Amino acid sequence: MADTPSPLPSLFSLIRETLAPDVQPFLASKATLVDISHTLEDCIIRNQLPSVIFTGFQESSHWREETQRYLELANIASSICIFAGGIPPVPEERHIAVTLASDDPLRQEWFLLVLTEWFCAVLCGLDNQVPVEREADRSFATLLTFQPEVVDAVLNRLIPVVERYRPDRAAELDHARTQFPPCNPRGPYLTQIVADMVAHLQRRYDNQRQLTDQLKELNERQSTLEETIAQLAAPVVPLFEGVLLMPLVGTIDSRRAQHVMEHLLSSIAEQMADVVIIDITGVPMVDTAVANYLLQTIRAARLLGAQVIITGISAAIAQTMINLGIDLGDVRTRSTLREGIMTALELSGMEIRPRS
């Protein structure tokens, strides 16, 4: 049984070896690779340049995203050779399809090689295979060159790949490449390509900046909303002169507890309160953390000269606090808000009398 030929080395490695040692790859997202590819292809489409195109999409699903574009290119180019992990869904008379084996190094690369009478170019991105949430954010180590000797070296690597997978079309493709020998850029096309690349990058930068501005605005709105919610979640209500009420509703976490303390202390200082009622009737659970938050708030309020009354301690919460070993010490507690208000009046030297 004949041995299966081993895959040829990757294009990326070949390009790195052929380029000058000081030319280093740059990191590009898939979206950027698509932009650069489109720039080269658009130059051919816009100027109706006869050409030969070799392109690799890794998987056939990636090729499908470009189907319409390549049907348009097929009306201009003399030959298009597409390398992918599946069969492109278009009639093959419009292109040469090369279905790569799963272990072929080209399956890990995104590449585009263009031959025209006026310029040649090769773009190659090696998939970093880093998991990302969005397909467009996949990253590639990328090389782009217009040097004829590099393009020629890549061609000499790709033709054997075609011979291996598609011997029936290899001679046709080899003949097509002879129509456009790799050459140094001539005419206005390189300038067009560079200008288009800059325009693509500028649009991407503008879009990114717009998204950043929108995100900043959303964050500011969220901060404002959170501040409003926090204030509503810990309101301070003046009941009588020198008496404040802070009703707490819902779960108390560390962030909210900090806001409760800050808001209450600032209210005590601003209104020169002598008595503060903290009503926890609406707090569903009091655990060690909540109790510690309350004790810290009470101590801080006392430092400002205010007496604190805790109301709304139900029988269930009282039992929980006993089981947890929580000791409120000498803190005044009342089971209902009504009782707390009466105590606050007594501490303030006031009373409620019926009208005579």
Side-chain angles (χ1 to χ4, degrees):
M1 182 177 178
D3 293 334
T4 302
S6 59
L8 294 169
S10 74
L11 293 185
F12 186 85
S13 299
L14 173 64
I15 296 171
R16 287 208 68 176
E17 293 169 2
T18 310
L19 284 171
D22 58 340
V23 178
Q24 296 298 315
F26 59 92
L27 188 65
S29 66
K30 179 184 175 181
T32 300
L33 272 180
V34 171
D35 283 348
I36 298 174
S37 299
H38 285 181
T39 298
L40 295 169
E41 295 158 1
D42 287 344
C43 183
I44 293 173
I45 294 171
R46 183 190 310 120
N47 297 289
Q48 295 291 295
L49 297 178
S51 53
V52 175
I53 299 172
F54 295 76
T55 185
F57 287 97
Q58 296 184 296
E59 303 298 334
S60 58
S61 58
H62 302 159
W63 148 254
R64 292 189 186 96
E65 299 171 7
E66 302 291 320
T67 299
Q68 191 57 45
R69 169 176 287 269
Y70 271 80
L71 288 175
E72 186 175 0
L73 283 167
N75 293 325
I76 303 169
S78 58
S79 291
I80 297 178
C81 186
I82 299 170
F83 301 78
I87 301 298
V90 294
E92 196 171 82
E93 62 268 15
R94 309 292 296 276
H95 68 278
I96 299 172
V98 176
T99 303
L100 300 169
S102 59
D103 61 343
D104 197 301
L106 294 184
R107 288 284 291 272
Q108 304 303 321
E109 297 175 315
W110 176 295
F111 64 89
L112 174 66
L113 186 149
V114 174
L115 296 174
T116 75
E117 180 183 354
W118 301 92
F119 69 90
C120 63
V122 61
L123 166 71
C124 184
L126 178 64
D127 194 340
N128 286 329
Q129 297 184 311
V130 177
V132 293
E133 293 184 2
R134 298 192 316 148
E135 175 69 18
D137 292 333
R138 288 170 54 208
S139 62
F140 294 76
T142 306
L143 291 165
L144 170 66
T145 180
F146 295 85
Q147 297 179 27
E149 61 274 16
V150 179
V151 174
D152 195 53
V154 173
L155 280 170
N156 291 334
R157 179 64 54 82
L158 287 176
I159 293 300
V161 176
V162 178
E163 291 173 346
R164 176 187 177 190
Y165 290 102
R166 294 300 307 271
D168 57 317
R169 305 292 295 272
E172 170 191 342
L173 191 59
D174 195 31
H175 173 71
R177 66 172 281 196
T178 62
Q179 301 176 49
F180 305 102
C183 63
N184 286 309
R186 296 182 291 114
Y189 304 114
L190 183 58
T191 301
Q192 287 182 15
I193 291 169
V194 172
D196 286 348
M197 286 184 182
V198 172
H200 273 294
L201 292 174
Q202 184 63 45
R203 283 194 296 272
R204 191 165 294 282
Y205 170 77
D206 291 342
N207 291 338
Q208 187 68 38
R209 185 175 60 181
Q210 183 179 6
L211 289 174
T212 301
D213 291 342
Q214 291 175 352
L215 182 60
K216 181 180 178 181
E217 183 180 352
L218 287 174
N219 286 336
E220 290 174 352
R221 289 182 180 178
Q222 182 176 353
S223 297
T224 302
L225 181 60
E226 288 177 352
E227 184 177 347
T228 301
I229 292 174
Q231 291 175 353
L232 293 174
V236 175
V237 182
L239 291 181
F240 310 102
E241 184 178 351
V243 179
L244 301 179
L245 167 65
M246 173 176 274
L248 298 179
V249 178
T251 303
I252 301 176
D253 56 18
S254 58
R255 183 176 180 181
R256 185 182 176 196
Q258 183 65 32
H259 177 77
V260 166
M261 180 184 295
E262 292 174 356
H263 190 35
L264 180 60
L265 296 181
S266 64
S267 298
I268 292 172
E270 290 172 4
Q271 302 188 40
M272 295 182 291
D274 299 314
V275 181
V276 174
I277 303 172
I278 301 177
D279 182 59
I280 62 171
T281 304
V283 177
M285 180 184 68
V286 173
D287 56 15
T288 304
V290 173
N292 286 333
Y293 295 145
L294 290 175
L295 289 173
Q296 291 174 19
T297 303
I298 291 167
R299 294 191 191 103
R302 284 175 172 174
L303 290 175
L304 294 178
Q307 301 182 72
V308 180
I309 304 168
I310 304 294
T311 65
I313 300 180
S314 64
I317 288 180
Q319 185 64 48
T320 300
M321 294 174 69
I322 291 173
N323 293 338
L324 293 174
I326 298 171
D327 183 11
L328 294 180
D330 59 348
V331 177
R332 290 184 176 85
T333 60
R334 298 293 183 268
S335 60
T336 66
L337 177 58
R338 180 179 181 279
E339 293 175 358
I341 293 174
M342 297 303 295
T343 302
L345 290 173
E346 292 175 5
L347 293 173
S348 301
M350 294 184 287
E351 61 179 341
I352 299 176
R353 296 179 180 177
R355 291 182 178 179
S356 56

